[in-house]
Amino acid sequence: MPKLLWVSPLSVHDTASSSATQMRNMLLSLKARDVDIVGLSALNFVNEKGTSMFSDLDEKLKSQENSFNLNDNNITFIYVRTKSRNLGDMVSQEQRNFYAKFCSIINAFRPDVVMGSGADMLSMVCFDETKRRGIPTAYVLLDGTPRRFNFPNIDVVISDSRAIANLYAQQYHINVVVTGSFLPITSPLLAAKAAEQKAAEEAANKDAETTDKDQKGAEQKGNKSDKSKTPKRNRITMINPALDKGVAIFTRLAQMAAKETKGYKFTVYETYEGQFKQQIEQVHQKNSDKKAFTNADLNKIEVLGPQVANTELLETTKLLVVPSLSFEGIVNIAREAIACGIPVLATNQMGLAESIGEAGVLVEMPSYCIADNRIAPEPEDMSNCLKGLQLALSEDFAERCANVTKRYDVNLSANRLAMILKPLFDQRAGNNPQLLRNGSLI
């Protein structure tokens, strides 16, 4: 059985980090494919909310031991104790404890591959020690990695996104192998639909015992009830109305297209209260400090916040608009919308194109808006966006959304990951007699 050691001072059980979720799912997929895995980590999180998986964390930290074990689906994770939950506050002694534990795991576990993520010095020292002992290495590259990082001591760099791979290839001449995303689509709307389908199947089985007449009446009644419950999809929605996400583009679109899209509401969904107003106040006209939009323009846009359930928002959305002006990798909100049968109107960026495929419309943005996201597009530069809006609202994207959703299968990504790592496992580095050399820094 091949052996893999995962190493990162950032927790893969950080529930506030989508990157951590992807990395944990990677490990679970390898475990399901008969890879023996040990993980080494520390109690560092994106923010305090990410610790929710550690329900008994305070009890674990009462111990005087330098580390404790966490069993996750038969994967043993060894956590090094830290006083802070922030990687930048990890003190020297804690880093030495982490490195010492890393070396002792190599001696006892004898991994065939060491895999991890992190551009911090502690991770680099661990990868350096790994290569010194002749063990192949793999690095998981997600959005948060510094672009100029040149991956010393790494045999294969893995990413979820072709957009990220292309960025590193073009700008830094570094080859990155793409697996696809390990983030499953977990929309509340999809869960609700699955529950409704299950209930319908149970009702159908029960109705099978009735007469044909009664069954027909029940189906007609059920169809009538379902129709009355189905909300009208009348929203053109933007989620996270921030400057770099293209709030100026969306607001101009709403200003110009309101008359042509009667019956639809342009809606922004804030990630925090007051976000839309705060961000749009910074937007100004091209070559001027004058504000780009009047209160009358802003009043055309419906503002919703986190108090509105995602299910309600998606059920009433006809089109999701993602006019991002910054680099994007995999865009999960676009994937979630498509899985719910909602097409996407987005900027023609590689990551968005990768996430959307044929289940939407991609348009070019004015170059001056990309250079400075505080500049509102001029009306004469919105023709592509307006045509894209008309196309997205007029065509039926249901079948295309369904076809794209099939490609979001995490199992496909897991199979690619297993194929990528197989040549490294085949080297059987765990049998290397040089493996048992002591760490160079302890």
Side-chain angles (χ1 to χ4, degrees):
M1 179 182 292
K3 294 181 178 180
L4 182 140
L5 171 58
W6 169 267
V7 57
S8 176
L10 286 169
S11 172
V12 297
H13 296 99
D14 184 348
T15 55
S17 167
S18 60
S19 296
T21 300
Q22 287 214 72
M23 289 183 282
R24 176 173 177 260
N25 289 341
M26 285 182 175
L27 297 178
L28 292 176
S29 75
L30 291 172
K31 182 66 178 179
R33 287 158 177 77
D34 295 323
V35 177
D36 192 8
I37 301 173
V38 170
L40 175 64
S41 192
L43 296 168
N44 296 308
F45 303 85
V46 172
N47 59 53
E48 286 291 337
K49 293 180 180 179
T51 63
S52 60
M53 190 174 289
F54 295 87
S55 57
D56 59 345
L57 184 58
D58 290 337
E59 289 297 320
K60 289 183 181 296
L61 295 181
K62 288 180 181 179
S63 170
Q64 296 303 309
E65 298 293 330
N66 288 334
S67 63
F68 65 87
N69 290 2
L70 171 70
N71 185 287
D72 180 4
N73 289 276
N74 294 319
I75 299 176
T76 298
F77 286 92
I78 301 171
Y79 271 89
V80 174
R81 289 161 48 90
T82 55
K83 291 182 179 180
S84 173
R85 301 292 167 265
N86 187 341
L87 177 59
D89 296 330
M90 197 172 178
V91 300
S92 177
Q93 185 58 53
E94 293 169 345
Q95 294 185 42
R96 290 179 63 85
N97 291 342
F98 188 96
Y99 179 72
K101 180 63 70 174
F102 173 75
C103 292
S104 67
I105 293 172
I106 288 182
N107 291 342
F109 182 56
R110 302 180 66 89
D112 297 304
V113 174
V114 172
M115 178 174 166
S117 177
D120 57 282
M121 289 304 299
L122 181 56
S123 296
M124 292 304 95
V125 169
C126 290
F127 279 122
D128 179 69
E129 180 66 22
T130 301
K131 293 300 293 181
R132 195 175 71 89
R133 298 198 189 200
I135 306 173
T137 54
Y139 189 98
V140 180
L141 171 61
L142 299 173
D143 296 9
T145 304
R147 295 181 183 179
R148 291 186 299 275
F149 184 57
N150 64 0
F151 308 102
N153 301 312
I154 301 297
D155 291 305
V156 59
V157 183
I158 299 165
S159 180
D160 63 331
S161 166
R162 288 193 300 273
I164 292 176
N166 288 342
L167 173 71
Y168 277 86
Q170 293 171 7
Q171 296 190 14
Y172 310 111
H173 309 292
I174 293 172
N175 292 325
V176 178
V177 185
V178 180
T179 61
S181 178
F182 278 79
L183 281 177
I185 304 299
T186 55
S187 164
L189 178 57
L190 293 179
K193 284 185 175 180
E196 289 178 5
Q197 184 177 357
K198 183 179 179 180
E201 290 174 355
E202 291 175 351
N205 291 335
K206 186 176 180 180
D207 288 344
E209 301 174 0
T210 66
T211 64
D212 291 342
K213 182 177 179 181
D214 291 338
Q215 184 177 4
K216 183 176 180 181
E219 289 174 349
Q220 290 175 344
K221 182 178 180 181
N223 290 338
K224 183 178 179 181
S225 175
D226 289 343
K227 186 176 180 180
S228 65
K229 290 181 180 180
T230 303
K232 183 180 179 182
R233 291 186 176 272
N234 64 345
R235 284 191 168 108
I236 300 170
T237 303
M238 177 185 183
I239 295 176
N240 188 11
L243 289 170
D244 63 327
K245 299 300 181 182
V247 65
I249 303 289
F250 183 81
T251 305
R252 181 70 81 193
L253 185 64
Q255 178 197 51
M256 297 181 66
K259 292 182 179 179
E260 290 75 18
T261 54
K262 289 183 179 179
Y264 291 104
K265 291 188 292 186
F266 284 85
T267 302
V268 293
Y269 185 77
E270 299 179 325
T271 58
Y272 59 88
E273 188 175 352
Q275 180 187 20
F276 176 59
K277 182 179 179 181
Q278 178 198 69
Q279 296 286 295
I280 206 65
E281 282 183 349
Q282 302 176 57
V283 176
H284 56 84
Q285 297 178 5
K286 184 182 179 183
N287 300 323
S288 171
D289 292 333
K290 187 177 179 180
K291 287 186 177 181
F293 303 106
T294 66
N295 288 334
D297 296 327
L298 302 184
N299 289 337
K300 295 177 181 178
I301 298 177
E302 176 188 34
V303 180
L304 302 178
Q307 72 276 7
V308 177
N310 284 343
T311 306
E312 178 184 341
L313 180 69
L314 292 174
E315 281 181 334
T316 56
T317 292
K318 172 68 174 179
L319 175 68
L320 180 71
V321 182
V322 188
S324 181
L325 297 172
S326 60
F327 174 81
E328 299 277 4
I330 295 295
V331 183
N332 212 47
I333 185 59
R335 297 166 73 240
E336 184 175 309
I338 291 167
C340 295
I342 304 168
V344 179
L345 174 65
T347 51
N348 190 17
Q349 299 221 40
M350 185 62 196
L352 284 164
E354 182 179 357
S355 300
I356 295 166
E358 65 269 24
V361 180
L362 299 172
V363 295
E364 296 290 340
M365 290 293 106
S367 58
Y368 56 86
C369 292
I370 296 174
D372 186 347
N373 55 37
R374 296 168 299 174
I375 299 177
E378 295 288 289
E380 57 267 26
D381 294 327
M382 288 292 291
S383 58
N384 286 339
C385 208
L386 290 168
K387 289 177 183 177
L389 177 66
Q390 293 171 359
L391 180 64
L393 291 176
S394 60
E395 291 200 6
D396 184 0
F397 281 84
E399 184 176 351
R400 281 177 272 184
C401 285
N403 290 335
V404 170
T405 300
K406 292 176 183 178
R407 301 202 291 266
Y408 294 156
D409 189 351
V410 173
N411 284 325
L412 297 178
S413 301
N415 289 338
R416 294 189 195 103
L417 176 62
M419 292 175 61
I420 291 166
L421 293 179
K422 186 178 184 302
L424 303 186
F425 284 130
D426 287 347
Q427 296 179 35
R428 302 299 182 194
N431 297 326
N432 185 347
Q434 297 295 319
L435 202 66
L436 299 182
R437 295 191 298 183
N438 287 329
S440 58
L441 298 181
I442 59 172

